[in-house]
Amino acid sequence: MARSDTARTLDRFPRAALARYALTQPELRPFASSFNDIYRVSAVEGEFVLRVSPRQCVHSAHAAQAEQAWTDRIRSAGLSAPTVVGTRDGGLVVTEDGPAARRAVMLTWIAGKVLEQPFPADRITSLGELSARLHQATPPSSTRPAGVLDASSPTLFAVPDVLESAPPGHREILRQRSKQAREWLHELWSSEEEVPRVLHFDLTPKNVVEMDGEGLAVIDCEDLAWGHRAQDIANTIYGITHGEFDAHAITMFRTGYERHAAWPDLDDERLRQLFIVRRIGMVNLSLTLRRPGLAEYLDRHAAALTQ
């Protein structure tokens, strides 16, 4: 459900936002579009990414500050992560004028190769290693930091529950699965002995790059969430398998993870449950944004939720 390249090419806001940064001879060009519009910026000072949010904001106003704190910690642990770049006046976010204002955030460019799909088996193990190292680099936190999403809720993002706005043919399965998702999350959060921590929460193949001789590096750290390791792992495996339960992929991922950390309380049953939680959150987000292709997206996920 991406936006058109034409709309991005004619958009004035990214250029206005770019002018707020102390860069010499910057050049801006569209790079990718999905939830956000992504622009690559080349300047004398180096290569950067300008990330422009949709008008329907789904993150907290303090999300950039949370991203800065988390990525700083990740780099201090010896891992690669983008740096949030401040504006000329020291801010982290450029906000568009007018109602339903978009937000722009600049980050350093992480040079690397985007891995092809399907994700190679050996890289599934590498992604398991990266997941464990990110978890180890982030200490538990008894309270949710400002700007971080709340993973105790299946809707996750800073948006209301709009599942009832789905087409009538999908509402019943969405009601059933949403109710189950809340029950499963309540069970996890009430029984889990570990204290929650801030997690990437979208550590999927599209959000890592392979650096030359340095392994995998994490990118796109906007969806940080306060939750449990099992949830973060489930989201990653969901991203690898496109929501399919693949025992081989799970084994490969776990092999890598356990090279650095103990596996959390996550058996096959809980993993399947957390896959459903993930689908519910993404369907609710899609119903909020209502991008082109929504009908096909809902059909596909509703079919998966009936299995």
Side-chain angles (χ1 to χ4, degrees), residues 15-303:
R15 296 194 178 280
L18 180 61
R20 299 282 298 277
Y21 294 90
L23 297 178
T24 307
Q25 299 177 0
E27 295 182 2
L28 180 77
R29 59 187 184 277
F31 182 76
S33 182
S34 181
F35 170 72
N36 296 304
D37 285 335
I38 306 298
Y39 297 83
R40 184 165 180 174
V41 179
S42 299
V44 172
E45 291 80 2
E47 298 292 313
F48 303 88
V49 171
L50 186 69
R51 185 180 68 211
V52 179
S53 75
R55 296 189 184 280
Q56 173 66 57
C57 186
V58 303
H59 296 92
S60 160
H62 301 290
Q65 288 83 351
E67 185 174 5
Q68 181 187 53
W70 190 83
T71 53
D72 284 352
R73 181 177 291 277
I74 295 307
R75 287 192 304 278
S76 70
L79 297 167
S80 296
T83 300
V84 180
V85 179
T87 61
R88 294 177 187 273
D89 59 8
L92 296 181
V93 181
V94 178
T95 304
E96 188 177 23
D97 294 332
R102 292 171 293 172
R103 301 171 185 168
V105 174
M106 184 171 287
L107 306 108
T108 53
W109 178 269
I110 299 292
K113 180 178 69 174
V114 177
L115 296 173
E116 297 179 358
Q117 296 291 339
F119 208 51
D122 62 327
R123 290 299 177 264
I124 295 177
T125 301
S126 297
L127 193 54
E129 292 193 63
L130 178 59
S131 174
R133 294 183 68 192
L134 291 174
H135 291 170
Q136 288 185 316
T138 310
S141 173
S142 58
T143 57
R144 178 164 62 99
V148 174
L149 299 172
D150 183 3
S152 68
S153 168
T155 54
L156 182 64
F157 294 94
V159 298
D161 185 333
V162 294
L163 293 175
E164 286 297 322
S165 69
H170 295 326
R171 287 178 193 165
E172 184 57 33
I173 187 61
L174 291 177
R175 288 190 195 110
Q176 293 175 10
R177 291 307 200 184
S178 177
K179 181 176 182 292
Q180 289 177 315
R182 294 183 185 281
E183 292 171 350
W184 291 330
L185 285 180
H186 176 74
E187 179 184 355
L188 171 64
W189 280 70
S190 60
S191 63
E192 180 61 73
E193 295 182 359
E194 281 189 0
V195 176
R197 68 189 70 207
V198 179
L199 304 159
H200 185 281
F201 231 63
D202 197 20
L203 186 69
T204 58
K206 65 183 176 63
N207 286 333
V208 295
V209 294
E210 186 171 35
M211 302 176 67
D212 188 17
E214 298 183 38
L216 299 181
V218 63
I219 58 174
D220 195 359
C221 309
E222 184 181 28
D223 291 349
L224 297 174
W226 182 63
H228 291 288
R229 291 188 299 141
Q231 295 176 270
D232 195 45
I233 290 172
N235 287 355
T236 299
I237 296 175
Y238 180 102
I240 293 169
T241 66
H242 303 287
E244 299 294 329
F245 192 87
D246 184 330
H248 178 66
I250 295 166
T251 298
M252 296 292 289
F253 183 89
R254 182 168 180 169
T255 296
Y257 191 95
E258 291 185 324
R259 289 174 182 169
H260 300 275
W263 191 251
D265 183 11
L266 180 62
D267 58 16
D268 288 354
E269 180 182 6
R270 174 161 283 175
L271 184 60
R272 292 178 190 274
Q273 292 172 352
L274 291 175
F275 275 15
I276 291 173
V277 172
R278 183 63 166 174
R279 282 194 193 276
I280 288 295
M282 298 312 295
V283 166
N284 191 70
L285 179 63
S286 298
L287 285 167
T288 299
L289 297 174
R290 294 198 168 272
R291 297 274 180 81
L294 176 61
E296 294 81 4
Y297 184 89
L298 293 176
D299 288 345
R300 184 170 70 255
H301 284 280

